């Protein structure tokens, strides 16, 4: 006898069904992607929950109490708000502005410049080329990740950035995601950055809220780094402190001799799930995934990575640092898969956490699945409080307790910033960490 | 004046200091000698304010004010400086950054403004030159990979910069070769001043050949058991501590 188990939709899931019904054929029409099929895939499995291993410590099904309606396309008011903010920002190279999920050519700068071409996701989905549409689809992953199906069903916009083969783009390409934050809403984006053979580029992804209304975001970013190409990718957020729930997926594919450094700075007290899927498709490539999460109150940040070595002689590195205050929770899950034949793989992952309060929690789960016999793979995880001897030494020299803690924590975080992007980017990251630590002191 | 009155200290229920009395006058160099386990290092940590110690009775006074309720940073600002027996390594914090943070923290605590960067660089360079500290060392993370001698010189450099009212040297001679000992002792002697007192804690008499004490205290089982002139140290060197720990047997 077999028992059919019927899944009962949660309030948020029911709301999503209702929202998709209302939206389809409306604002999203005209694109080549089959949103209905994507939503059907999502509806079948629902939101991921704790019984799915990759979501064990981040039960989205119970965390998401409600689903917000998609943010509306920018209006005169929200565009004016964005313009005011943009006027304060210096721009040098390419800057793509995505406002409330919608690509804004008029607010962007230097979309076309030597070696860099940028288009709107919706335009590409509508007009091709088909190869790019295929790469945007990430269909194999979508089958496993219902949040990606949800992303496909609701995506409002995004950018497709192409760096021409051989181009050396020194000025960072900025992907600026602004949310007007005037009323609660859900933002869904999908973007693709392609770095052609032998090219090199730096992409800075910034998320900024211009108002403090709560938001739910589902971002997907696909990075294709072709043979001998190099990409540094940095994600950070700033702006109004809002109640945010974010799911961000990064899907990166590396060609032979390619080099990727991807860094994420997470701060605040919202809910963040960052998942990375890095695949080595060609030999002798290097992939380096890093991150710093600074969390307080009841903030929850989950970093879940799947690194797949399909080619020989590749090197993967993962280094993640959490600083957890109050009742915050950090999660690090790192899985390294070495496919049969991917000999001479060198994979290392490290997760370190420091607690600033007794109520904070850290979950570390490293996993190795190795199907080749000539590989070097290692992992490590530490979690603990600040070193009392070091603190006492600093205080005995007159440095007040919080300042002494900040010095030690800045030093703790600094390791993850080394070698990321440019001097200017590292300075911004170091300052952001410092700002968070100082705000603790006040 | 630094006064320690009837100080009783326990660690995890074990009595370490048993009614210790001691006075260090401004301008005075007082040496404390004693066998291992007599409580010398505990005394230095308790004065500096480390919190692993339970002070069950007694007082530590600077110019009549009890400092036992103060945090370590407040004691530092009040003029206490402990030169650690084992200076702590702090990876990721450049020595220069640390020196500036501590100097300015103490200035702020005293209501003074921060020292300007050029002034700071000048005083650090001068102090480093006197102690034969390689300026490159100041760029390295604090104490990380420093040799024993370098660590101790760095302690004295900090003392010179912070110009405390009372310098407590906890076994500063341990792990030093004769050249390093000479440099470190020279650094301390250069800081001797009418308004500054020193408490030099040592196991061996050797350091006192270089830093001549005004008074020598012998410590045993958590108390000062004898006080005398510099000659007392020589006598100890000859006879050992057995006369003072006899009742421990």
């Amino acid at each position: 006898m077999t028992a059919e188990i019927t899944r009962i939709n949660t309030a948020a899931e029911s709301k999503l069904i209702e929202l998709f019904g209302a939206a389809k054929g409306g604002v999203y029409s005209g694109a080549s992607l089959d949103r209905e099929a994507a939503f059907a895939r999502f509806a079948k499995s629902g939101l991921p929950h704790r019984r799915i291993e990759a979501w064990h410590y981040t039960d989205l099904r119970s965390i998401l109490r409600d689903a917000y309606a998609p943010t509306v396309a920018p209006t005169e008011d929200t565009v004016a708000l964005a313009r005011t903010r943009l006027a304060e920002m210096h721009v040098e190279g390419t800057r793509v502005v995505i406002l409330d999920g919608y690509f804004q050519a008029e607010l962007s700068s230097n979309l076309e410049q030597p070696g860099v071409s940028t288009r709107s996701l919706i335009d590409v989905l509508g007009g091709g080329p088909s190869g790019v549409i295929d790469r945007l689809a990430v269909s194999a992953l979508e089958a496993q990740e219902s949040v990606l199906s949800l992303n496909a069903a609701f995506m409002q916009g995004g950018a497709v950035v192409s760096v021409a083969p051989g181009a050396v783009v020194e000025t960072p390409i900025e992907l600026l995601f602004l949310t007007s934050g005037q009323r609660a809403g859900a933002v869904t984006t999908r973007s693709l950055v392609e770095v052609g053979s032998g090219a090199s580029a730096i992409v800075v992804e910034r998320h900024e809220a211009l108002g403090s209304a709560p938001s739910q975001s589902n971002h997907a970013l696909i990075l294709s780094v072709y043979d001998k190409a190099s990409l540094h990718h940095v994600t950070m957020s700033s702006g109004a402190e809002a109640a945010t729930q974010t799911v961000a997926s990064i899907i990166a594919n590396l060609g032979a001799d390619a080099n990727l450094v991807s860094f994420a700075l997470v701060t605040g007290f919202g809910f963040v799930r960052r998942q990375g899927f890095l695949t080595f498709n060609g030999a002798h490539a290097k992939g380096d995934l890093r991150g710093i999460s600074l969390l307080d109150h009841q903030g929850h940040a989950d970093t879940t990575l799947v690194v797949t070595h399909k080619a020989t002689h590749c090197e993967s590195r993962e280094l993640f640092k959490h600083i957890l205050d109050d009742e915050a929770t950090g999660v690090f899950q790192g899985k390294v898969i070495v496919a049969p034949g991917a000999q001479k793989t060198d994979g290392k992952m490290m997760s370190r956490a420091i607690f600033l309060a007794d109520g904070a929690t850290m979950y570390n789960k490293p996993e190795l699945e190795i199907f080749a016999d000539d590989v070097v793979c290692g992992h490590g995880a530490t979690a603990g409080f600040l070193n009392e001897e070091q603190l006492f030494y600093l205080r005995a020299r007159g440095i007040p307790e919080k300042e002494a803690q900040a010095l030690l924590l800045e030093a703790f975080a600094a390791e993850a910033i080394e070698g990321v992007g440019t001097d200017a980017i590292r300075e911004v990251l170091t300052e952001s960490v410092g700002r968070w630590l100082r705000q603790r002191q006040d | 004046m630094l006064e320690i009155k009837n100080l009783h200290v326990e660690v995890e229920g074990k009595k370490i200091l048993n009614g210790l009395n001691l006075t260090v006058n401004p301008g005075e160099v007082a040496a404390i000698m004693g066998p291992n386990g007599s409580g010398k290092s505990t005394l230095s940590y308790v004065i500096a304010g480390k919190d692993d110690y339970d002070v069950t009775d007694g007082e530590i006074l600077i110019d009549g004010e009890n400092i036992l309720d103060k945090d370590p940073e407040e004691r530092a600002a009040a003029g206490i400086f402990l030169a650690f027996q084992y200076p702590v390594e702090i990876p990721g914090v450049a020595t220069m950054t640390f020196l500036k943070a501590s100097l300015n923290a103490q200035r702020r605590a005293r209501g003074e403004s921060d020292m300007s960067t050029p002034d700071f660089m000048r005083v650090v360079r001068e102090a480093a030159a006197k102690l034969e500290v390689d300026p490159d060392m100041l760029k390295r993370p604090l104490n990380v990979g420093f040799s024993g001698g370098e660590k101790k010189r760095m302690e004295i450099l900090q003392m010179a910069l912070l110009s405390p009212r009372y310098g407590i040297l906890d076994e500063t001679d341990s792990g030093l070769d004769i050249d390093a000992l000479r440099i470190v002792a020279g650094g301390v002697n250069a800081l001797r001043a009418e308004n500054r007192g020193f408490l030099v804690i040592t196991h061996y008499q050797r350091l006192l050949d270089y830093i001549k004490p005004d008074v020598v205290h012998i410590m045993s089982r958590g108390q000062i058991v004898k006080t005398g002139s510099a000659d007392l140290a020589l006598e100890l060197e000859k006879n050992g501590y057995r006369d003072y720990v006899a009742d421990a047997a």
Side-chain angles (χ1 to χ4, degrees):
Chain A
M1 200 174 86
T2 56
E4 278 285 305
I5 298 170
T6 312
R7 203 173 48 76
I8 297 167
N9 284 326
T10 63
E13 287 166 342
S14 302
K15 184 78 175 291
L16 286 167
I17 292 168
E18 185 189 310
L19 290 169
F20 185 73
K24 70 178 171 187
V27 287
Y28 305 148
S29 60
S32 64
L33 209 86
D34 190 344
R35 291 177 187 269
E36 293 226 32
F39 192 78
R41 280 194 299 276
F42 165 75
K44 200 174 161 213
S45 51
L47 291 165
H49 49 79
R50 65 192 314 275
R51 280 155 59 203
I52 294 171
E53 208 180 335
W55 291 83
H56 185 72
Y57 303 103
T58 299
D59 188 340
L60 196 59
R61 197 160 189 250
S62 68
I63 290 169
L64 216 64
R65 297 286 170 82
D66 187 16
Y68 299 146
T71 42
V72 295
T75 62
E76 242 174 68
D77 288 350
T78 56
V79 167
L81 201 63
R83 279 195 198 284
T84 308
R85 176 66 187 110
L86 289 167
E88 301 164 358
M89 298 167 104
H90 173 72
V91 64
E92 257 180 86
T94 298
R95 172 189 286 153
V96 185
V97 176
I98 292 162
L99 177 59
D100 288 331
Y102 299 85
F103 181 91
Q104 299 291 286
E106 317 75 58
L107 297 177
S108 301
S109 312
N110 309 316
L111 291 179
E112 297 292 328
Q113 61 154 322
V116 184
S117 164
T118 310
R119 297 171 68 197
S120 150
L121 167 85
I122 300 297
D123 290 350
V124 171
L125 289 178
S130 58
V132 177
I133 294 174
D134 286 347
R135 288 193 286 281
L136 274 163
V138 294
S139 23
L141 253 181
E142 250 194 62
Q144 305 158 34
E145 283 293 334
S146 69
V147 293
L148 282 173
S149 299
L150 197 61
N151 180 280
F154 280 100
M155 59 172 96
Q156 295 150 313
V160 175
V161 181
S162 304
V163 179
V168 175
V169 184
E170 282 173 1
T171 309
I173 298 164
E174 198 180 348
L175 301 181
L176 181 57
F177 294 84
L178 297 176
T179 44
S180 52
Q182 303 305 296
R183 66 179 68 164
V187 174
T188 308
T189 72
R190 184 171 291 201
S191 298
L192 169 67
V193 175
E194 302 202 272
V195 186
S197 299
S200 75
I202 298 162
V203 169
V204 176
E205 182 190 340
R206 287 177 62 180
H207 295 264
E208 186 168 321
L210 301 174
S212 53
S215 68
Q216 292 172 338
S217 306
N218 184 337
H219 299 290
L221 175 64
I222 300 141
L223 306 174
S224 296
V225 189
Y226 291 89
D227 295 356
K228 296 190 169 67
S230 161
L231 174 64
H232 280 231
H233 163 247
V234 175
T235 306
M236 55 185 135
S237 54
S238 56
E241 290 265 348
T244 54
Q245 295 175 314
T246 303
V247 176
S249 307
I250 292 187
I251 299 107
N253 285 290
L254 302 192
D257 295 299
N259 181 29
L260 169 70
V261 176
S262 179
F263 174 95
L265 176 65
V266 174
T267 55
F269 52 85
F271 157 81
V272 184
R273 157 82 170 199
R274 294 189 60 82
Q275 44 183 11
F277 305 91
L278 169 63
T279 308
F280 290 93
N281 296 306
H284 295 284
K286 286 183 182 181
D288 190 346
L289 307 177
R290 319 253 198 101
I292 298 173
S293 295
L294 310 170
L295 307 173
D296 50 16
H297 301 284
Q298 289 176 320
H300 179 111
D302 173 326
T303 298
T304 295
L305 306 171
V306 180
V307 173
T308 308
H309 286 267
K310 289 186 177 171
T312 63
H313 296 92
C314 291
E315 182 186 290
S316 62
R317 293 287 179 271
E318 296 165 26
L319 176 63
F320 284 80
K321 305 260 179 144
H322 284 78
I323 298 175
L324 304 164
D325 203 354
D326 303 323
E327 293 166 48
T329 303
V331 179
F332 174 79
Q333 302 186 97
K335 186 189 233 178
V336 174
I337 301 168
V338 181
Q343 304 295 6
K344 303 288 180 191
T345 288
D346 176 355
K348 282 194 182 69
M349 58 181 136
M350 175 57 76
S351 163
R352 292 188 189 281
I354 288 187
F355 300 122
L356 299 177
D358 290 336
T361 307
M362 180 75 206
Y363 297 101
N364 275 312
K365 197 177 87 177
E367 262 184 288
L368 298 172
E369 278 183 19
I370 302 174
F371 301 102
D373 55 10
D374 187 10
V375 302
V376 180
C377 283
H379 60 77
T382 60
F385 291 86
L386 279 170
N387 183 308
E388 288 293 336
E389 300 296 322
Q390 293 178 342
L391 267 180
F392 174 66
Y393 187 86
L394 296 175
R395 295 178 70 190
R397 294 296 177 258
I399 301 173
E401 188 175 15
K402 291 263 174 132
E403 196 184 329
Q405 288 179 347
L407 265 179
L408 295 178
L409 293 169
E410 262 177 281
F412 169 76
E415 189 193 355
I417 298 174
E418 268 170 41
V420 173
T422 61
D423 285 350
I425 289 171
R426 287 191 290 276
E427 218 167 277
V428 169
L429 293 173
T430 304
E431 265 172 38
S432 303
V433 172
R435 201 177 314 121
W436 187 85
L437 294 170
R438 276 194 300 280
Q439 143 254 300
R440 277 190 75 243
Q441 291 176 49
D442 301 335
Chain B
M1 191 159 53
L2 173 66
E3 291 170 283
I4 298 167
K5 292 183 176 170
N6 189 35
L7 192 64
H8 288 259
V9 173
E10 293 179 8
V11 176
E12 290 167 355
K14 189 174 175 237
K15 287 194 169 176
I16 309 287
L17 300 183
N18 295 298
L20 184 134
N21 291 291
L22 179 70
T23 298
V24 183
N25 292 304
E28 185 177 83
V29 173
I32 292 192
M33 300 185 71
N36 291 326
S38 57
K40 302 190 300 293
S41 284
T42 296
L43 175 63
S44 68
Y45 280 137
V46 171
I47 297 171
K50 199 162 194 261
D51 56 7
D52 309 342
Y53 301 90
D54 293 329
V55 177
T56 53
D57 202 2
E59 292 176 314
I60 300 177
L61 308 162
I62 294 185
D63 297 339
E65 193 191 350
N66 192 356
I67 60 166
L68 276 177
D69 290 336
K70 290 184 191 288
D71 286 331
E73 55 267 35
E74 294 171 324
R75 297 184 196 200
I80 295 289
F81 180 94
L82 169 63
F84 284 62
Q85 182 178 3
Y86 303 108
V88 180
E89 296 190 3
I90 306 195
V93 177
T95 303
M96 212 60 166
T97 308
F98 158 75
L99 292 175
K100 199 169 182 204
S102 51
L103 183 66
N104 283 331
Q106 294 207 12
R107 289 173 69 96
R108 269 175 244 149
R110 290 192 295 259
E112 298 164 23
S113 60
D114 284 10
M115 191 181 268
S116 73
T117 302
D119 284 351
F120 170 75
M121 298 296 281
R122 187 175 44 77
V123 296
V124 173
R125 276 206 210 96
E126 283 172 11
K130 277 184 199 157
L131 288 157
E132 299 178 33
V133 167
D134 181 351
D136 278 349
M137 232 169 88
L138 302 171
K139 294 177 195 157
R140 283 159 54 189
L142 182 61
N143 291 327
V144 177
F146 290 13
S147 71
E150 286 173 333
K151 284 180 182 168
K152 295 298 170 75
R153 268 183 279 166
M154 191 53 74
E155 293 293 289
I156 305 306
L157 170 64
Q158 291 170 35
M159 185 159 73
L161 280 179
L162 298 173
S163 47
R165 297 185 53 213
Y166 293 95
I168 300 154
L169 278 61
D170 186 7
E171 308 242 2
T172 293
D173 48 338
S174 70
L176 290 189
D177 62 30
I178 200 74
D179 293 329
L181 184 65
R182 204 172 280 140
I183 295 166
V184 164
V188 174
N189 287 329
L191 292 171
R192 291 178 78 150
E194 258 177 44
N195 57 353
R196 181 174 295 137
F198 289 93
L199 193 56
V200 180
I201 296 172
T202 182
H203 189 71
Y204 300 106
Q205 189 266 341
R206 188 179 68 157
L207 177 66
L208 305 182
D209 287 342
Y210 297 92
I211 303 172
K212 296 269 184 238
D214 299 304
V215 56
V216 173
H217 304 280
I218 297 174
M219 188 166 170
S220 176
R221 304 180 75 201
Q223 288 181 323
I224 300 297
V225 293
K226 186 161 186 178
T227 298
S229 67
D231 295 341
L232 187 55
L234 296 169
E235 182 198 314
L236 274 177
E237 189 71 4
K238 216 167 90 193
N239 300 331
Y241 288 111
R242 64 175 181 275
D243 294 347
Y244 304 100
V245 294
D247 58 346

